Amino acid sequence: VLLWVVVLAVVGWLVYQWRHLIGFKVGSKPFSSAPRLATTVAGLSVTEESLPADVPGQAERLLLQGDVRAALALLYRATLARLIGRFGLRLLAGYTEGDCLAVVRTDTESSVHEYLSLLTRHWIAAAYSHRLPVADEISPLIAQWRHYFPSGMASVSEGSP
Protein backbone atom coordinates (compact mmCIF):
# COMPACT_ATOMS: atom_id res chain seq x y z
CA VAL A 1 0.00 0.00 0.00
CA LEU A 2 2.82 2.38 0.87
CA LEU A 3 4.45 1.61 -2.51
CA TRP A 4 1.23 2.58 -4.34
CA VAL A 5 1.02 5.84 -2.43
CA VAL A 6 4.62 6.69 -3.35
CA VAL A 7 4.03 5.79 -7.04
CA LEU A 8 0.87 7.90 -7.18
CA ALA A 9 2.63 10.81 -5.46
CA VAL A 10 5.51 10.65 -7.97
CA VAL A 11 3.10 10.48 -10.92
CA GLY A 12 1.12 13.40 -9.52
CA TRP A 13 4.28 15.43 -9.03
CA LEU A 14 5.43 14.67 -12.62
CA VAL A 15 2.05 15.73 -14.05
CA TYR A 16 2.19 18.91 -11.99
CA GLN A 17 5.73 19.71 -13.22
CA TRP A 18 4.86 18.88 -16.84
CA ARG A 19 1.85 21.18 -16.68
CA HIS A 20 4.07 24.09 -15.64
CA LEU A 21 6.73 23.30 -18.23
CA ILE A 22 4.31 23.62 -21.14
CA GLY A 23 2.48 26.59 -19.66
CA PHE A 24 -0.86 24.83 -19.31
CA LYS A 25 -3.30 26.65 -17.09
CA VAL A 26 -6.53 25.32 -15.66
CA GLY A 27 -9.35 26.17 -18.04
CA SER A 28 -7.08 26.78 -21.02
CA LYS A 29 -6.62 24.63 -24.09
CA PRO A 30 -3.32 22.72 -24.14
CA PHE A 31 -2.84 23.42 -27.85
CA SER A 32 -3.69 26.58 -29.72
CA SER A 33 -6.51 26.26 -32.21
CA ALA A 34 -5.31 29.36 -34.10
CA PRO A 35 -3.49 28.42 -37.31
CA ARG A 36 0.18 29.35 -37.46
CA LEU A 37 1.06 31.62 -40.36
CA ALA A 38 3.95 30.51 -42.51
CA THR A 39 7.44 31.88 -42.03
CA THR A 40 8.82 29.23 -44.39
CA VAL A 41 7.40 27.63 -47.51
CA ALA A 42 9.07 24.54 -48.98
CA GLY A 43 12.05 25.15 -46.71
CA LEU A 44 12.50 28.77 -47.82
CA SER A 45 12.18 31.69 -45.41
CA VAL A 46 9.35 34.01 -46.48
CA THR A 47 9.78 36.81 -43.98
CA GLU A 48 10.51 40.40 -45.01
CA GLU A 49 13.50 40.40 -42.64
CA SER A 50 15.15 37.52 -44.53
CA LEU A 51 15.27 39.49 -47.78
CA PRO A 52 17.90 41.87 -49.12
CA ALA A 53 16.92 45.55 -49.37
CA ASP A 54 17.07 45.44 -53.19
CA VAL A 55 15.49 42.13 -54.21
CA PRO A 56 15.48 42.64 -57.99
CA GLY A 57 19.02 44.04 -57.95
CA GLN A 58 20.27 41.07 -55.96
CA ALA A 59 18.44 38.65 -58.29
CA GLU A 60 20.12 40.30 -61.29
CA ARG A 61 23.53 40.01 -59.60
CA LEU A 62 22.91 36.31 -58.94
CA LEU A 63 22.00 35.82 -62.61
CA LEU A 64 25.19 37.59 -63.73
CA GLN A 65 27.17 35.25 -61.46
CA GLY A 66 25.44 32.29 -63.12
CA ASP A 67 23.48 31.28 -60.01
CA VAL A 68 20.05 30.89 -61.62
CA ARG A 69 18.70 28.68 -58.84
CA ALA A 70 19.55 31.25 -56.16
CA ALA A 71 17.98 34.05 -58.25
CA LEU A 72 14.78 32.01 -58.61
CA ALA A 73 14.73 31.16 -54.92
CA LEU A 74 15.14 34.82 -54.00
CA LEU A 75 12.33 35.93 -56.34
CA TYR A 76 10.05 33.17 -55.07
CA ARG A 77 10.73 33.94 -51.39
CA ALA A 78 10.40 37.67 -51.94
CA THR A 79 7.12 37.30 -53.82
CA LEU A 80 5.57 35.24 -51.03
CA ALA A 81 6.97 37.57 -48.37
CA ARG A 82 5.44 40.60 -50.09
CA LEU A 83 2.11 38.86 -50.56
CA ILE A 84 2.07 37.92 -46.87
CA GLY A 85 3.52 41.10 -45.40
CA ARG A 86 2.06 43.80 -47.59
CA PHE A 87 -1.18 42.28 -48.81
CA GLY A 88 -2.23 40.10 -45.89
CA LEU A 89 -2.18 36.82 -47.78
CA ARG A 90 -2.75 34.04 -45.23
CA LEU A 91 -0.30 31.25 -45.95
CA LEU A 92 -0.23 28.65 -43.21
CA ALA A 93 2.76 26.73 -41.91
CA GLY A 94 3.16 23.54 -43.92
CA TYR A 95 1.76 24.91 -47.18
CA THR A 96 3.37 23.63 -50.37
CA GLU A 97 3.99 25.63 -53.52
CA GLY A 98 0.65 24.36 -54.87
CA ASP A 99 -1.18 25.42 -51.71
CA CYS A 100 0.31 28.90 -52.03
CA LEU A 101 -0.83 29.13 -55.65
CA ALA A 102 -4.36 28.13 -54.67
CA VAL A 103 -4.52 30.89 -52.03
CA VAL A 104 -3.12 33.47 -54.46
CA ARG A 105 -5.66 32.37 -57.10
CA THR A 106 -8.56 33.15 -54.76
CA ASP A 107 -7.16 36.14 -52.84
CA THR A 108 -5.41 38.32 -55.48
CA GLU A 109 -6.00 39.60 -58.97
CA SER A 110 -5.41 37.22 -61.88
CA SER A 111 -2.23 38.91 -63.15
CA VAL A 112 -0.50 38.33 -59.79
CA HIS A 113 -1.62 34.69 -59.88
CA GLU A 114 -0.26 34.31 -63.43
CA TYR A 115 3.07 35.81 -62.37
CA LEU A 116 3.38 33.55 -59.33
CA SER A 117 2.30 30.54 -61.40
CA LEU A 118 5.08 31.10 -63.94
CA LEU A 119 7.64 31.79 -61.19
CA THR A 120 6.53 28.68 -59.31
CA ARG A 121 6.86 26.48 -62.42
CA HIS A 122 10.43 27.71 -62.92
CA TRP A 123 11.20 27.31 -59.20
CA ILE A 124 9.86 23.75 -59.01
CA ALA A 125 11.76 22.73 -62.16
CA ALA A 126 14.99 24.16 -60.73
CA ALA A 127 14.57 23.01 -57.14
CA TYR A 128 13.21 19.49 -57.61
CA SER A 129 14.02 18.47 -61.19
CA HIS A 130 17.36 20.31 -61.38
CA ARG A 131 16.28 21.82 -64.73
CA LEU A 132 17.49 25.39 -64.68
CA PRO A 133 15.88 27.91 -67.03
CA VAL A 134 18.17 30.18 -69.03
CA ALA A 135 18.82 33.66 -67.67
CA ASP A 136 16.70 35.18 -70.47
CA GLU A 137 13.65 33.46 -68.96
CA ILE A 138 14.36 34.91 -65.51
CA SER A 139 15.03 38.53 -66.51
CA PRO A 140 11.36 39.19 -67.41
CA LEU A 141 10.34 37.75 -64.03
CA ILE A 142 12.61 40.28 -62.32
CA ALA A 143 11.05 43.12 -64.33
CA GLN A 144 7.57 41.90 -63.44
CA TRP A 145 8.58 41.67 -59.78
CA ARG A 146 9.52 45.36 -59.90
CA HIS A 147 6.10 46.12 -61.40
CA TYR A 148 4.09 44.21 -58.81
CA PHE A 149 6.20 45.00 -55.76
CA PRO A 150 7.79 48.46 -56.03
CA SER A 151 9.34 49.85 -52.86
CA GLY A 152 6.85 51.41 -50.46
CA MET A 153 3.87 50.02 -52.33
CA ALA A 154 0.62 49.62 -50.38
CA SER A 155 -1.42 47.55 -52.85
CA VAL A 156 -1.07 45.48 -56.00
CA SER A 157 -0.92 47.47 -59.24
CA GLU A 158 -3.60 46.93 -61.84
CA GLY A 159 -2.76 45.18 -65.09
CA SER A 160 0.38 43.40 -66.09
CA PRO A 161 3.68 44.78 -67.41
Side-chain angles (χ1 to χ4, degrees):
V1 174
L2 182 61
L3 178 62
W4 282 108
V5 170
V6 170
V7 168
L8 287 175
V10 168
V11 168
W13 181 81
L14 288 173
V15 168
Y16 179 78
Q17 293 300 318
W18 178 74
R19 182 178 70 108
H20 285 288
L21 286 174
I22 64 167
F24 182 77
K25 294 180 179 51
V26 176
S28 71
K29 296 179 183 175
F31 301 104
S32 172
S33 60
R36 285 189 6 227
L37 294 180
T39 56
T40 61
V41 171
L44 300 172
S45 176
V46 292
T47 62
E48 293 275 346
E49 300 79 31
S50 70
L51 300 173
D54 179 15
V55 170
Q58 180 64 26
E60 287 171 338
R61 284 188 287 283
L62 290 167
L63 279 182
L64 287 173
Q65 295 169 1
D67 198 347
V68 175
R69 186 181 189 284
L72 276 172
L74 176 58
L75 283 176
Y76 186 72
R77 289 185 319 112
T79 299
L80 293 179
R82 293 298 191 269
L83 290 171
I84 293 167
R86 293 189 181 179
F87 307 115
L89 199 69
R90 293 189 47 85
L91 301 180
L92 302 181
Y95 271 16
T96 64
E97 291 93 340
D99 295 328
C100 294
L101 274 174
V103 171
V104 169
R105 183 182 313 114
T106 60
D107 291 354
T108 66
E109 64 185 59
S110 63
S111 60
V112 174
H113 176 259
E114 290 167 12
Y115 171 74
L116 183 61
S117 182
L118 179 60
L119 178 58
T120 300
R121 277 196 304 272
H122 283 303
W123 166 246
I124 288 173
Y128 303 117
S129 301
H130 305 289
R131 292 187 327 245
L132 295 176
V134 295
D136 291 344
E137 293 176 291
I138 305 305
S139 294
L141 291 172
I142 296 171
Q144 286 177 314
W145 197 93
R146 281 188 173 106
H147 170 76
Y148 289 118
F149 309 108
S151 296
M153 189 175 102
S155 64
V156 176
S157 302
E158 291 297 321
S160 63

